[in-house]
């Protein structure tokens, strides 16, 4: 190219613009779900947990594991129950935080039940997440 000339990016076709918009919307939705998962059962229930002198599931893992080592698994997974009005209530993570991290530099697999979500009750999905992390620990 001559002096003072620059390459311009190619113009996007209409289909590409629609795809970019859909991707942006999907990424925003995922960020929203992740924030909801981190919140667990909600700010009110978390405040009650703290008032009782108890840590949240995520806080317990933060204390246990080496700083910055935790990698969560199945953060957005929810239950499949449709009985008892449960089809109207879905909390990402389904009341259990699972994943891997390190303790004193050694890799460990962990789970921590979140009592702010459905009182820590065990759903099929909740149990699957625990079994999955236990299987990974044994592999």
């Amino acid at each position: 190219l001559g002096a003072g000339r620059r390459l311009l990016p190619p113009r996007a076709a209409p289909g590409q613009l629609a795809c970019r918009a859909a991707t942006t919307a999907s990424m925003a939705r995922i960020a929203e779900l992740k924030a909801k998962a981190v919140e667990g059962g909600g700010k009110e229930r978390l405040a009650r947990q703290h008032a009782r002198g108890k840590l949240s599931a995520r806080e317990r893992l933060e204390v246990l594991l080496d700083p910055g080592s935790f990698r969560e698994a199945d953060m957005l997974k929810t239950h499949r129950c449709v009985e008892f009005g449960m089809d109207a209530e879905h909390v990402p993570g389904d009341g259990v935080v699972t994943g891997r991290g390190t303790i004193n530099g050694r890799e460990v697999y962990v789970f921590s039940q979140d009592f702010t979500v459905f009182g820590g009750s065990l759903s099929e999905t909740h149990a699957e997440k625990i079994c999955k992390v236990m299987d990974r620990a044994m592999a």
Side-chain angles (χ1 to χ4, degrees):
L1 293 172
R5 294 187 68 179
R6 62 188 174 116
L7 279 175
L8 296 175
R11 289 198 174 149
Q16 288 175 319
L17 292 177
C19 184
R20 286 183 193 161
T23 299
T24 302
S26 293
M27 288 172 57
R29 176 74 176 134
I30 289 170
E32 178 185 315
L33 288 171
K34 283 183 176 183
K36 191 174 178 185
V38 168
E39 196 174 85
K43 293 177 184 176
E44 258 182 50
R45 289 181 181 153
L46 186 57
R48 279 189 296 217
Q49 187 92 338
H50 287 154
R52 293 180 186 128
K54 297 179 179 181
L55 298 175
S56 72
R58 291 177 188 284
E59 291 166 340
R60 292 192 303 271
L61 291 176
E62 196 174 297
V63 170
L64 175 67
L65 300 171
D66 294 340
S69 70
F70 183 61
R71 298 294 176 262
E72 189 165 351
D74 298 328
M75 180 183 215
L76 304 181
K77 197 167 189 176
T78 62
H79 69 81
R80 296 180 292 272
C81 182
V82 294
E83 290 86 13
F84 314 109
M86 291 298 294
D87 53 340
E89 292 190 55
H90 290 275
V91 177
D94 200 35
V96 64
V97 181
T98 61
R100 65 182 168 85
T102 59
I103 297 176
N104 295 324
R106 296 185 68 170
E107 186 173 57
V108 295
Y109 287 82
V110 294
F111 70 90
S112 182
Q113 293 173 293
D114 187 349
F115 296 99
T116 69
V117 178
F118 308 126
S121 61
L122 191 74
S123 73
E124 179 183 13
T125 303
H126 184 119
E128 284 173 350
K129 286 179 64 174
I130 293 171
C131 289
K132 183 177 179 179
V133 81
M134 290 172 75
D135 288 342
R136 285 186 177 175
M138 297 303 293

